[in-house]
Amino acid sequence: MATDRMAPFLKGGRSMLLAYDQGLEHGPTKDFDERNVDPAFIMETAIKGGFNGVVFQKGVAERFYTGKVPLIVKVNGKTALPQGEPISRQVCSVEHALSLGAKAVGYTIYLGSALEAEMMAEFGRIQEEAHRKGIAAIAWIYPRGAGVQNDTSKEIVAYAARTGLELGADAVKIKYTGDSASFSWAVKSAAGVKVFMSGGPKAPTDEAFLQQVKGVMDAGATGLAVGRNVWQHRDPVKMADSIRKVIFENKPPSEVLKP
Amino acid sequence: MATDRMAPFLKGGRSMLLAYDQGLEHGPTKDFDERNVDPAFIMETAIKGGFNGVVFQKGVAERFYTGKVPLIVKVNGKTALPQGEPISRQVCSVEHALSLGAKAVGYTIYLGSALEAEMMAEFGRIQEEAHRKGIAAIAWIYPRGAGVQNDTSKEIVAYAARTGLELGADAVKIKYTGDSASFSWAVKSAAGVKVFMSGGPKAPTDEAFLQQVKGVMDAGATGLAVGRNVWQHRDPVKMADSIRKVIFENKPPSEVLKP
Amino acid sequence: MATDRMAPFLKGGRSMLLAYDQGLEHGPTKDFDERNVDPAFIMETAIKGGFNGVVFQKGVAERFYTGKVPLIVKVNGKTALPQGEPISRQVCSVEHALSLGAKAVGYTIYLGSALEAEMMAEFGRIQEEAHRKGIAAIAWIYPRGAGVQNDTSKEIVAYAARTGLELGADAVKIKYTGDSASFSWAVKSAAGVKVFMSGGPKAPTDEAFLQQVKGVMDAGATGLAVGRNVWQHRDPVKMADSIRKVIFENKPPSEVLKP
Amino acid sequence: MATDRMAPFLKGGRSMLLAYDQGLEHGPTKDFDERNVDPAFIMETAIKGGFNGVVFQKGVAERFYTGKVPLIVKVNGKTALPQGEPISRQVCSVEHALSLGAKAVGYTIYLGSALEAEMMAEFGRIQEEAHRKGIAAIAWIYPRGAGVQNDTSKEIVAYAARTGLELGADAVKIKYTGDSASFSWAVKSAAGVKVFMSGGPKAPTDEAFLQQVKGVMDAGATGLAVGRNVWQHRDPVKMADSIRKVIFENKPPSEVLKP
Amino acid sequence: MATDRMAPFLKGGRSMLLAYDQGLEHGPTKDFDERNVDPAFIMETAIKGGFNGVVFQKGVAERFYTGKVPLIVKVNGKTALPQGEPISRQVCSVEHALSLGAKAVGYTIYLGSALEAEMMAEFGRIQEEAHRKGIAAIAWIYPRGAGVQNDTSKEIVAYAARTGLELGADAVKIKYTGDSASFSWAVKSAAGVKVFMSGGPKAPTDEAFLQQVKGVMDAGATGLAVGRNVWQHRDPVKMADSIRKVIFENKPPSEVLKP
């Protein structure tokens, strides 16, 4: 059962994951500083911040994963440099992810890309292999390309969520639509597949970000996979605590941030 | 024998299938509402409506298929977002479909696409594997692309049906030509391959849709694979009853709809 | 030995094959009528007409092949719909063709296509597999594409024939050049590979067609693979008899057609 | 050791090969006449002419190779018809070449083609397989494409030779630069890989051709692979004798041709 | 552990490698002269110069590797001739590299190429296979293509280094940024992956090159892979000695070069 496969990452059905594949996807200079360029710092933050899972590419997992937080290995990836229709191919086998201790594999599908079919087919094979081996397959679904005008519209975000269901993902990581009501349509479209908001770039204020998290949880989502809003934060562990209160205790952001 | 392989879906040589892969092919917002976005509602409709088969992508089958209606797993699929020549690749193995209880696999070929050859070759392999494992291979054949002017002309619909025969499909799902006489040419071109009309978008009136079904059956077809005209209907089970009467009892739509 | 592999299709070193893959290659509406759309009629014609072989795609063979005439299964194919450089990929395994009773597999190579290399490589694999399993590999070689001005010139037809030799085909099916003298150069270029004329569209008169056959045989060819000129004929069995007299008895068309 | 693998083709470290894949590469009409269109004539010429090896595509080898001269099977090939960037793919397995009695496989790489990488990767696999099975892998290296201005310049011919070394070829077949001094740079670049001149089109006079051969040998090459300059010659065996005297006895062309 | 896999190439955690794949990547005429065109001279220089490793393509290793210096086999490669987006594919299996005595395989990824995904996926498979067999996988990472303005900027060099980490390379070979401070950001981004500077074209003076080496070592790198600056040098062994003093003894270039 899909629920069982996601169990390592859930607490009361909810979850807070720490994402750290930006070094490949965006490059170190765009997102990192002297502190968070170091994966050891992230691993430490994942533990101290009480995260329910941590997302690494295989190379980072091989060198820095310490086993104290459940591991998701991203098995495809691309840099931000190539132009043209986006394509991200498998760079890590499911077998290898498993040998690193992964409890799930993550795979990005650029929905709407002219090469969408390549990624959907590859995810299809990975999902079956992961399930045969007893671990979860999580789909990062990002609509992109000439056919996609607005990648955070209610319609397109729900389409991303639904694709995760149709292809047999255990969970999807999708962008936030901006409000809870419209995001709840994506959650409904996922029909039981665990929905994680993609944290996105650093929000202008902590409250702004926590409001997003609240909206996401109110919509019925499982939680979020956050990166920059935590490890770019002055005090990552404190920020993680704040997020956790919104996710697991349903607290309003204003109360959480009260000094 | 092909007939034997389709037997699970036939009653007196006729059949009424419930299709539900629109979440992937069209997106949830375009086709679904709060009720039919839920696959459990569809599964229930398939049972209560007395359908002879239900069509799901693997993810939906994994979570919602209850085993009471014979299952067809769609093993390829695409979203409506990519532009350019249509291509849909295998996302589910025949082995996996079988493990979900499928009695048939479904595969879409976009006839006339510049990538037609990729899909025909992939269907060729799937057909042989499905047959080795004792289940049917059903071809969704949709002519599309620069070389196709009118995808419901008598010529093109017959071409789609014939391609199913030539490639060894047990059944084809094709569009309606609009009249029974021309559709009977497609049925003849299929030369024994079971012909199912693709239900298409919601018809303006129930009678309009039932007239199509009647025309299809009069042409010698096996039945239809219907989705939106049932689960977008105010009363899906009643609509299913009406369709069934046309298919299995040869009743004229006007009589069927008589209050 | 290649000769041995073609033996099932030869009588005194000559041969008359009945081709029936036009349903896929051209579409049923273009080539068929109410009578010849039915593969059973073709199978019957093959028997009654005394053909030395019959050519079917796997789907037709699966349903209509009765075993009384040696079978050639066409293992690739395309529709007439896609635009751009022609490509036809394998849709039937050699293993499967064998299980249907095939004594040969047929494969089309579009010489001069930008995708020529894909087809030549695929034929290369099929040829070796067919020979390992003891059946013949017949190449349909049709020059086509931007680099081909005239696909019935002496030069280009000889090039097609020669390619069959170089790639290890047991026989080639090529177009007629229009006269026996120039066609004999193709036969010489084939250097022992059995040469079959491709029957082509219905000729204006029976005599016109029989003159082609005579020219082909005078050039030293093995025979022809004929479709439309037989099964579009008012009296297919009689037309088959006429052709047979030209091929096997060297009779001039005028004598053959004498009432 | 590479030297051992080429030993079947060497006499005192030198070699004269007869090439006959022009039927595929150029077409029969361009290069052949009534006599040399027949592979049996070529096989006989190879024997009578005292050649150290003969080059055939698999189809010709299957039907005409008699085993009296060591065999090289060309395992890729293309026609002259397709336009655009050149690509030639594997049409014969190493296993099959071996079963035909080959002591070496030959493979063409179009250096500089946009598809160069495909051919280099395929040759890489073939080289390893050939060596595992104990036979030589010979690279035909022909620079071609938009990035290649002059395919017989000193620089480009040396690049071709060097590529053979880097990729592990036992021997390379390359074009002549036009003079011995510049060709010696190609030989040095090959660093021990046996260098064969590609014979090219029929030279205006026998002496002109023999001067090329002399220049090639003076540059330290192993020999040449000649086709048209022998089998288009009025007296192929005599021409072969002349070439042999230049290659193996270092005789000047003027002396060789003395009546 | 990655450190263990690189141990054959390290002395006190530092390393000086001799690179010699320019014959394929640039062509012999561009980079070689009568002396260094000979791989035996390079092998000798590797030994006499006290190098910690030598980089060859398989063909050069097969003929010239003598086993006295640890071997890195480059397993992909391309020529400088093709135009368009750069792509370099695997030409040597990991198995074969191992049979040649390799303690590491090297693979080039053109970051930013439209075909980046092909190379990242292929490296992903090679890395896992190399590690299973107990040898290191070293990534040559060269940003190139329309999306890359300046391939030696701090940002892009750090991106290259980081990609090596993310994909699980044991070491990366990257270009120098031009100053030690900015290069140290690349070293940090690599987060423990051994960083080697790519030697690049012959520097104007020995001191200029040694200053680069000093900057690289001051930035915390492991060493460099040098080719032209050694084997194009008048006295390669002396230049190797000078470099070694900078790398292993931290000596300033001015002192090293003092007569």
Side-chain angles (χ1 to χ4, degrees), chain C residues 14-43:
Chain C
R14 302 187 168 203
S15 182
M16 179 176 79
L17 307 174
L18 189 61
Y20 187 63
D21 61 342
Q22 291 82 353
L24 180 59
E25 299 293 334
H26 307 154
T29 309
K30 184 155 184 294
D31 283 357
F32 296 161
D33 59 22
E34 298 280 331
R35 186 183 61 159
N36 56 35
V37 72
D38 179 7
F41 172 76
I42 304 300
M43 190 66 232

mmCIF file of all heavy atoms in Angstrom, chain C residues 14-43:
data_model
loop_
_atom_site.group_PDB
_atom_site.id
_atom_site.type_symbol
_atom_site.label_atom_id
_atom_site.label_comp_id
_atom_site.label_asym_id
_atom_site.label_seq_id
_atom_site.Cartn_x
_atom_site.Cartn_y
_atom_site.Cartn_z
ATOM 1 N N ARG C 14 10.945 -20.263 -59.777
ATOM 2 C CA ARG C 14 10.090 -19.096 -60.031
ATOM 3 C C ARG C 14 8.996 -19.000 -58.979
ATOM 4 O O ARG C 14 8.737 -19.968 -58.256
ATOM 5 C CB ARG C 14 9.486 -19.187 -61.430
ATOM 6 C CG ARG C 14 10.617 -19.282 -62.475
ATOM 7 C CD ARG C 14 10.109 -19.199 -63.877
ATOM 8 N NE ARG C 14 11.244 -19.012 -64.773
ATOM 9 C CZ ARG C 14 11.160 -18.476 -65.977
ATOM 10 N NH1 ARG C 14 9.982 -18.081 -66.446
ATOM 11 N NH2 ARG C 14 12.229 -18.321 -66.728
ATOM 12 N N SER C 15 8.372 -17.831 -58.906
ATOM 13 C CA SER C 15 7.444 -17.639 -57.791
ATOM 14 C C SER C 15 6.416 -16.550 -58.066
ATOM 15 O O SER C 15 6.689 -15.561 -58.757
ATOM 16 C CB SER C 15 8.248 -17.267 -56.539
ATOM 17 O OG SER C 15 7.399 -17.121 -55.442
ATOM 18 N N MET C 16 5.232 -16.734 -57.495
ATOM 19 C CA MET C 16 4.158 -15.742 -57.596
ATOM 20 C C MET C 16 3.563 -15.574 -56.199
ATOM 21 O O MET C 16 2.962 -16.500 -55.655
ATOM 22 C CB MET C 16 3.113 -16.246 -58.590
ATOM 23 C CG MET C 16 1.936 -15.323 -58.780
ATOM 24 S SD MET C 16 0.783 -15.927 -60.086
ATOM 25 C CE MET C 16 -0.133 -17.189 -59.198
ATOM 26 N N LEU C 17 3.800 -14.393 -55.619
ATOM 27 C CA LEU C 17 3.356 -14.133 -54.242
ATOM 28 C C LEU C 17 2.156 -13.202 -54.241
ATOM 29 O O LEU C 17 2.061 -12.303 -55.073
ATOM 30 C CB LEU C 17 4.487 -13.489 -53.438
ATOM 31 C CG LEU C 17 5.843 -14.225 -53.432
ATOM 32 C CD1 LEU C 17 6.885 -13.370 -52.701
ATOM 33 C CD2 LEU C 17 5.697 -15.592 -52.761
ATOM 34 N N LEU C 18 1.285 -13.407 -53.274
ATOM 35 C CA LEU C 18 0.133 -12.511 -53.131
ATOM 36 C C LEU C 18 0.361 -11.582 -51.939
ATOM 37 O O LEU C 18 0.526 -12.045 -50.801
ATOM 38 C CB LEU C 18 -1.149 -13.331 -52.917
ATOM 39 C CG LEU C 18 -2.457 -12.534 -52.966
ATOM 40 C CD1 LEU C 18 -2.656 -11.859 -54.330
ATOM 41 C CD2 LEU C 18 -3.654 -13.428 -52.645
ATOM 42 N N ALA C 19 0.408 -10.277 -52.224
ATOM 43 C CA ALA C 19 0.691 -9.285 -51.182
ATOM 44 C C ALA C 19 -0.610 -8.653 -50.680
ATOM 45 O O ALA C 19 -1.472 -8.288 -51.482
ATOM 46 C CB ALA C 19 1.606 -8.205 -51.725
ATOM 47 N N TYR C 20 -0.690 -8.497 -49.366
ATOM 48 C CA TYR C 20 -1.927 -7.924 -48.803
ATOM 49 C C TYR C 20 -1.622 -7.164 -47.505
ATOM 50 O O TYR C 20 -2.188 -7.447 -46.465
ATOM 51 C CB TYR C 20 -2.928 -9.055 -48.554
ATOM 52 C CG TYR C 20 -4.314 -8.608 -48.138
ATOM 53 C CD1 TYR C 20 -5.108 -7.835 -48.986
ATOM 54 C CD2 TYR C 20 -4.840 -8.963 -46.901
ATOM 55 C CE1 TYR C 20 -6.385 -7.438 -48.594
ATOM 56 C CE2 TYR C 20 -6.111 -8.582 -46.511
ATOM 57 C CZ TYR C 20 -6.878 -7.814 -47.366
ATOM 58 O OH TYR C 20 -8.148 -7.420 -46.979
ATOM 59 N N ASP C 21 -0.697 -6.201 -47.601
ATOM 60 C CA ASP C 21 -0.450 -5.321 -46.456
ATOM 61 C C ASP C 21 -0.895 -3.892 -46.758
ATOM 62 O O ASP C 21 -0.567 -2.972 -46.020
ATOM 63 C CB ASP C 21 1.034 -5.356 -46.054
ATOM 64 C CG ASP C 21 1.951 -4.869 -47.180
ATOM 65 O OD1 ASP C 21 1.515 -4.829 -48.342
ATOM 66 O OD2 ASP C 21 3.098 -4.517 -46.882
ATOM 67 N N GLN C 22 -1.671 -3.750 -47.829
ATOM 68 C CA GLN C 22 -2.103 -2.419 -48.253
ATOM 69 C C GLN C 22 -3.059 -1.766 -47.261
ATOM 70 O O GLN C 22 -3.185 -0.543 -47.218
ATOM 71 C CB GLN C 22 -2.744 -2.471 -49.646
ATOM 72 C CG GLN C 22 -1.783 -2.777 -50.782
ATOM 73 C CD GLN C 22 -1.484 -4.258 -50.947
ATOM 74 O OE1 GLN C 22 -1.905 -5.086 -50.128
ATOM 75 N NE2 GLN C 22 -0.756 -4.627 -51.981
ATOM 76 N N GLY C 23 -3.735 -2.571 -46.477
ATOM 77 C CA GLY C 23 -4.648 -2.013 -45.468
ATOM 78 C C GLY C 23 -3.902 -1.120 -44.502
ATOM 79 O O GLY C 23 -4.418 -0.086 -44.060
ATOM 80 N N LEU C 24 -2.680 -1.502 -44.179
ATOM 81 C CA LEU C 24 -1.863 -0.669 -43.303
ATOM 82 C C LEU C 24 -1.117 0.401 -44.102
ATOM 83 O O LEU C 24 -1.090 1.571 -43.717
ATOM 84 C CB LEU C 24 -0.845 -1.539 -42.547
ATOM 85 C CG LEU C 24 0.072 -0.790 -41.580
ATOM 86 C CD1 LEU C 24 -0.742 -0.067 -40.515
ATOM 87 C CD2 LEU C 24 1.050 -1.745 -40.919
ATOM 88 N N GLU C 25 -0.538 0.027 -45.215
ATOM 89 C CA GLU C 25 0.318 0.956 -45.954
ATOM 90 C C GLU C 25 -0.450 2.069 -46.666
ATOM 91 O O GLU C 25 0.042 3.196 -46.766
ATOM 92 C CB GLU C 25 1.200 0.184 -46.956
ATOM 93 C CG GLU C 25 2.143 -0.843 -46.325
ATOM 94 C CD GLU C 25 3.256 -0.215 -45.471
ATOM 95 O OE1 GLU C 25 3.622 0.940 -45.732
ATOM 96 O OE2 GLU C 25 3.741 -0.892 -44.532
ATOM 97 N N HIS C 26 -1.627 1.771 -47.157
ATOM 98 C CA HIS C 26 -2.404 2.764 -47.919
ATOM 99 C C HIS C 26 -3.735 3.113 -47.275
ATOM 100 O O HIS C 26 -4.344 4.124 -47.599
ATOM 101 C CB HIS C 26 -2.669 2.251 -49.346
ATOM 102 C CG HIS C 26 -1.455 1.816 -50.074
ATOM 103 N ND1 HIS C 26 -1.480 0.896 -51.089
ATOM 104 C CD2 HIS C 26 -0.150 2.159 -49.941
ATOM 105 C CE1 HIS C 26 -0.250 0.695 -51.547
ATOM 106 N NE2 HIS C 26 0.568 1.441 -50.858
ATOM 107 N N GLY C 27 -4.232 2.250 -46.388
ATOM 108 C CA GLY C 27 -5.551 2.465 -45.809
ATOM 109 C C GLY C 27 -6.606 1.701 -46.579
ATOM 110 O O GLY C 27 -6.488 1.536 -47.808
ATOM 111 N N PRO C 28 -7.649 1.244 -45.894
ATOM 112 C CA PRO C 28 -8.640 0.390 -46.559
ATOM 113 C C PRO C 28 -9.434 1.104 -47.646
ATOM 114 O O PRO C 28 -9.807 0.497 -48.652
ATOM 115 C CB PRO C 28 -9.560 -0.040 -45.408
ATOM 116 C CG PRO C 28 -9.350 0.960 -44.320
ATOM 117 C CD PRO C 28 -7.925 1.442 -44.457
ATOM 118 N N THR C 29 -9.686 2.396 -47.460
ATOM 119 C CA THR C 29 -10.559 3.084 -48.399
ATOM 120 C C THR C 29 -9.892 3.275 -49.745
ATOM 121 O O THR C 29 -10.541 3.223 -50.793
ATOM 122 C CB THR C 29 -10.997 4.433 -47.808
ATOM 123 O OG1 THR C 29 -11.499 4.189 -46.495
ATOM 124 C CG2 THR C 29 -12.081 5.067 -48.648
ATOM 125 N N LYS C 30 -8.594 3.498 -49.708
ATOM 126 C CA LYS C 30 -7.887 3.762 -50.960
ATOM 127 C C LYS C 30 -7.839 2.511 -51.851
ATOM 128 O O LYS C 30 -8.017 2.595 -53.062
ATOM 129 C CB LYS C 30 -6.469 4.227 -50.642
ATOM 130 C CG LYS C 30 -5.657 4.627 -51.854
ATOM 131 C CD LYS C 30 -4.564 5.615 -51.483
ATOM 132 C CE LYS C 30 -3.835 6.064 -52.736
ATOM 133 N NZ LYS C 30 -3.082 4.972 -53.393
ATOM 134 N N ASP C 31 -7.638 1.365 -51.240
ATOM 135 C CA ASP C 31 -7.381 0.175 -52.064
ATOM 136 C C ASP C 31 -8.480 -0.889 -52.029
ATOM 137 O O ASP C 31 -8.518 -1.754 -52.910
ATOM 138 C CB ASP C 31 -6.068 -0.491 -51.612
ATOM 139 C CG ASP C 31 -4.840 0.261 -52.108
ATOM 140 O OD1 ASP C 31 -5.018 1.256 -52.842
ATOM 141 O OD2 ASP C 31 -3.719 -0.135 -51.769
ATOM 142 N N PHE C 32 -9.347 -0.850 -51.044
ATOM 143 C CA PHE C 32 -10.269 -1.972 -50.862
ATOM 144 C C PHE C 32 -11.697 -1.637 -51.276
ATOM 145 O O PHE C 32 -12.111 -0.489 -51.283
ATOM 146 C CB PHE C 32 -10.301 -2.421 -49.398
ATOM 147 C CG PHE C 32 -8.998 -2.977 -48.876
ATOM 148 C CD1 PHE C 32 -8.767 -3.040 -47.501
ATOM 149 C CD2 PHE C 32 -8.000 -3.437 -49.724
ATOM 150 C CE1 PHE C 32 -7.582 -3.544 -47.001
ATOM 151 C CE2 PHE C 32 -6.804 -3.950 -49.237
ATOM 152 C CZ PHE C 32 -6.594 -3.995 -47.856
ATOM 153 N N ASP C 33 -12.422 -2.702 -51.567
ATOM 154 C CA ASP C 33 -13.873 -2.600 -51.729
ATOM 155 C C ASP C 33 -14.522 -3.619 -50.790
ATOM 156 O O ASP C 33 -13.830 -4.254 -49.987
ATOM 157 C CB ASP C 33 -14.276 -2.837 -53.193
ATOM 158 C CG ASP C 33 -13.842 -4.209 -53.708
ATOM 159 O OD1 ASP C 33 -13.619 -5.132 -52.882
ATOM 160 O OD2 ASP C 33 -13.725 -4.370 -54.939
ATOM 161 N N GLU C 34 -15.814 -3.743 -50.870
ATOM 162 C CA GLU C 34 -16.560 -4.603 -49.944
ATOM 163 C C GLU C 34 -16.069 -6.065 -49.980
ATOM 164 O O GLU C 34 -16.179 -6.787 -48.998
ATOM 165 C CB GLU C 34 -18.060 -4.573 -50.274
ATOM 166 C CG GLU C 34 -18.706 -3.207 -50.136
ATOM 167 C CD GLU C 34 -19.050 -2.857 -48.696
ATOM 168 O OE1 GLU C 34 -19.308 -3.786 -47.894
ATOM 169 O OE2 GLU C 34 -19.068 -1.647 -48.371
ATOM 170 N N ARG C 35 -15.531 -6.456 -51.101
ATOM 171 C CA ARG C 35 -15.090 -7.830 -51.243
ATOM 172 C C ARG C 35 -13.677 -8.035 -50.703
ATOM 173 O O ARG C 35 -13.438 -8.875 -49.836
ATOM 174 C CB ARG C 35 -15.120 -8.192 -52.732
ATOM 175 C CG ARG C 35 -14.835 -9.631 -53.058
ATOM 176 C CD ARG C 35 -14.819 -9.850 -54.580
ATOM 177 N NE ARG C 35 -13.780 -9.049 -55.225
ATOM 178 C CZ ARG C 35 -13.264 -9.300 -56.431
ATOM 179 N NH1 ARG C 35 -13.739 -10.299 -57.178
ATOM 180 N NH2 ARG C 35 -12.324 -8.539 -56.939
ATOM 181 N N ASN C 36 -12.741 -7.223 -51.199
ATOM 182 C CA ASN C 36 -11.346 -7.506 -50.832
ATOM 183 C C ASN C 36 -10.925 -6.881 -49.502
ATOM 184 O O ASN C 36 -9.787 -7.064 -49.068
ATOM 185 C CB ASN C 36 -10.386 -7.130 -51.971
ATOM 186 C CG ASN C 36 -10.554 -5.687 -52.377
ATOM 187 O OD1 ASN C 36 -10.829 -4.825 -51.559
ATOM 188 N ND2 ASN C 36 -10.408 -5.423 -53.672
ATOM 189 N N VAL C 37 -11.834 -6.160 -48.860
ATOM 190 C CA VAL C 37 -11.528 -5.672 -47.505
ATOM 191 C C VAL C 37 -11.467 -6.856 -46.530
ATOM 192 O O VAL C 37 -10.881 -6.758 -45.457
ATOM 193 C CB VAL C 37 -12.582 -4.626 -47.048
ATOM 194 C CG1 VAL C 37 -13.920 -5.303 -46.733
ATOM 195 C CG2 VAL C 37 -12.088 -3.847 -45.820
ATOM 196 N N ASP C 38 -12.028 -7.954 -46.974
ATOM 197 C CA ASP C 38 -12.127 -9.142 -46.113
ATOM 198 C C ASP C 38 -10.917 -10.059 -46.339
ATOM 199 O O ASP C 38 -10.765 -10.651 -47.407
ATOM 200 C CB ASP C 38 -13.421 -9.890 -46.456
ATOM 201 C CG ASP C 38 -13.577 -11.155 -45.625
ATOM 202 O OD1 ASP C 38 -12.770 -11.390 -44.695
ATOM 203 O OD2 ASP C 38 -14.534 -11.908 -45.912
ATOM 204 N N PRO C 39 -10.059 -10.207 -45.335
ATOM 205 C CA PRO C 39 -8.857 -11.035 -45.511
ATOM 206 C C PRO C 39 -9.177 -12.492 -45.848
ATOM 207 O O PRO C 39 -8.350 -13.167 -46.466
ATOM 208 C CB PRO C 39 -8.164 -10.930 -44.148
ATOM 209 C CG PRO C 39 -8.672 -9.663 -43.543
ATOM 210 C CD PRO C 39 -10.082 -9.524 -44.026
ATOM 211 N N ALA C 40 -10.358 -12.947 -45.472
ATOM 212 C CA ALA C 40 -10.719 -14.335 -45.785
ATOM 213 C C ALA C 40 -10.814 -14.522 -47.303
ATOM 214 O O ALA C 40 -10.451 -15.568 -47.845
ATOM 215 C CB ALA C 40 -12.042 -14.705 -45.121
ATOM 216 N N PHE C 41 -11.302 -13.475 -47.987
ATOM 217 C CA PHE C 41 -11.384 -13.527 -49.445
ATOM 218 C C PHE C 41 -9.988 -13.605 -50.054
ATOM 219 O O PHE C 41 -9.754 -14.313 -51.044
ATOM 220 C CB PHE C 41 -12.133 -12.278 -49.956
ATOM 221 C CG PHE C 41 -12.119 -12.137 -51.439
ATOM 222 C CD1 PHE C 41 -12.935 -12.937 -52.237
ATOM 223 C CD2 PHE C 41 -11.274 -11.220 -52.061
ATOM 224 C CE1 PHE C 41 -12.912 -12.812 -53.620
ATOM 225 C CE2 PHE C 41 -11.245 -11.098 -53.441
ATOM 226 C CZ PHE C 41 -12.058 -11.895 -54.222
ATOM 227 N N ILE C 42 -9.062 -12.900 -49.463
ATOM 228 C CA ILE C 42 -7.674 -12.913 -49.959
ATOM 229 C C ILE C 42 -7.041 -14.288 -49.725
ATOM 230 O O ILE C 42 -6.364 -14.830 -50.603
ATOM 231 C CB ILE C 42 -6.845 -11.818 -49.260
ATOM 232 C CG1 ILE C 42 -7.493 -10.446 -49.443
ATOM 233 C CG2 ILE C 42 -5.395 -11.844 -49.763
ATOM 234 C CD1 ILE C 42 -7.645 -9.975 -50.853
ATOM 235 N N MET C 43 -7.276 -14.832 -48.539
ATOM 236 C CA MET C 43 -6.709 -16.146 -48.217
ATOM 237 C C MET C 43 -7.231 -17.190 -49.201
ATOM 238 O O MET C 43 -6.468 -18.019 -49.705
ATOM 239 C CB MET C 43 -7.073 -16.503 -46.770
ATOM 240 C CG MET C 43 -6.358 -17.734 -46.227
ATOM 241 S SD MET C 43 -4.554 -17.518 -46.064
ATOM 242 C CE MET C 43 -3.951 -18.976 -46.942
#
